Amino acid sequence: MNKDLEADFKAAVERVNSHQEPFPADVLLRLYAYFKIATRDNNGPGSKTPLINAFKANALFQVQEMDTNEAKQNYVNCVNKYFNSL
């Protein structure tokens, strides 16, 4: 595993978790899907709202062929793109 990628991924996760403002829904869904693949989290969407679960399931479906490193890199890229646009 690429140690730089792992460090970048952890830093990006921390940045997202410490951010106080709400994220746009499309960004959140991408981050959710990348994170689930990157961390090999096989648990299904856990929202109490069926519509939210459907959106999460769709986001996961779109990235299901990604490997963990590709998902980590995409997560980092998505976070950087979002914060650079502020």
Side-chain angles (χ1 to χ4, degrees):
M1 179 186 332
N2 182 334
K3 290 185 184 198
D4 288 337
L5 177 57
E6 189 64 30
D8 290 347
F9 176 69
K10 286 182 179 181
V13 170
E14 287 179 25
R15 191 171 189 192
V16 167
N17 288 337
S18 66
H19 187 61
Q20 299 296 316
E21 300 297 317
F23 286 90
D26 63 319
V27 173
L28 274 179
L29 286 168
R30 270 186 260 129
L31 291 175
Y32 167 81
Y34 295 148
F35 184 84
K36 294 280 274 185
I37 299 296
T39 61
R40 294 187 178 113
D41 183 347
N42 295 323
N43 295 321
S47 175
K48 294 178 182 173
T49 307
L51 184 60
I52 292 173
N53 283 335
F55 280 113
K56 286 180 172 182
N58 183 53
L60 282 169
F61 179 76
Q62 293 178 37
V63 298
Q64 68 184 349
E65 299 299 321
M66 257 183 218
D67 66 31
T68 57
N69 286 335
E70 186 179 3
K72 286 177 184 178
Q73 187 61 61
N74 282 327
Y75 187 98
V76 169
N77 293 346
C78 186
V79 168
N80 289 339
K81 181 178 178 184
Y82 174 76
F83 283 104
N84 287 337
S85 73
L86 294 180

